[in-house]
Amino acid sequence: MNFCPGGSGTDYAQCCELVITRERPAQTAEQLMRARYSAYVGLHMDFIFESTHPDHRAGYDHDGTRAWAEQSTWQGLEIVGVTRGGQDDSVGEVEFIARFQEKDVNREHHERGQFKKKDGQWFFTEGIMVKQRPITASKVGRNDPCPCGSGLKHKKCCGK
């Protein structure tokens, strides 16, 4: 079995390949997102362009996109969340993290992809980058309740 790079856990030939080769249209925004990731892995740049909404294709750099995809080692796709984007919806959002290695550096592309249906077909419209949340730490005093929830003072529990 040749697992699909889009992370569905199914066979590529029965999953994203059917969408990329246009044998079956994506039924949901998430299916299209998984197929687009698989297209980057398999260097199917025509599919990347064609699955972008016609109103959002201006400035697309076909050669630059191919070169970037070729020079990257693709490590996986994680779907963080989906808002709408089902078979009966006309718009949807798929938050995802695409992991890859570029010039021996591990990278993550965290985005909320926007999708729109046109004439019954799903298209990618734009991506909104998800910014990292600032790291926050709260200082626990010796006599404060332990944050682990044990009911003991911090100094008698995790603060030992």
Side-chain angles (χ1 to χ4, degrees):
M1 185 164 164
N2 185 11
F3 282 106
C4 182
S8 65
T10 60
D11 186 57
Y12 175 69
Q14 299 302 314
C15 185
C16 289
E17 184 176 38
L18 296 172
V19 177
I20 292 169
T21 60
R22 303 276 197 237
E23 290 181 45
R24 181 182 73 208
Q27 299 297 305
T28 65
E30 181 180 348
Q31 282 182 353
L32 182 58
M33 181 62 243
R34 290 184 186 281
R36 285 176 58 88
Y37 179 85
S38 295
Y40 279 108
V41 173
L43 304 174
H44 300 286
M45 298 302 108
D46 289 339
F47 177 77
I48 296 296
F49 179 77
E50 292 164 6
S51 64
T52 301
H53 194 281
D55 295 344
H56 295 265
R57 292 178 181 168
Y60 176 78
D61 179 3
H62 197 81
D63 294 333
T65 302
R66 175 179 280 285
W68 172 71
E70 285 175 340
Q71 295 166 12
S72 298
T73 303
W74 299 94
Q75 299 173 326
L77 176 69
E78 175 187 348
I79 301 296
V80 177
V82 178
T83 305
R84 296 176 42 195
Q87 291 182 7
D88 298 328
D89 293 319
S90 59
V91 296
E93 178 180 275
V94 180
E95 183 177 346
F96 67 93
I97 301 172
R99 292 182 175 86
F100 60 99
Q101 190 176 68
E102 182 181 39
K103 298 180 183 173
D104 295 327
V105 176
N106 289 330
R107 301 199 183 274
E108 288 186 349
H109 180 87
H110 191 171
E111 178 180 294
R112 288 191 329 263
Q114 307 299 304
F115 295 84
K116 187 176 192 178
K117 247 187 200 176
K118 179 180 180 183
D119 300 326
Q121 183 176 341
W122 281 106
F123 289 94
F124 171 79
T125 58
E126 63 183 325
I128 301 166
M129 295 301 294
V130 176
K131 295 178 183 169
Q132 257 187 326
R133 291 191 217 175
I135 297 173
T136 58
S138 58
K139 189 171 181 176
V140 179
R142 292 174 30 87
N143 291 315
D144 290 340
C146 191
C148 76
S150 67
L152 299 173
K153 289 184 179 182
H154 180 65
K155 68 183 178 186
K156 296 283 187 180
C157 190
C158 295
K160 282 186 177 182

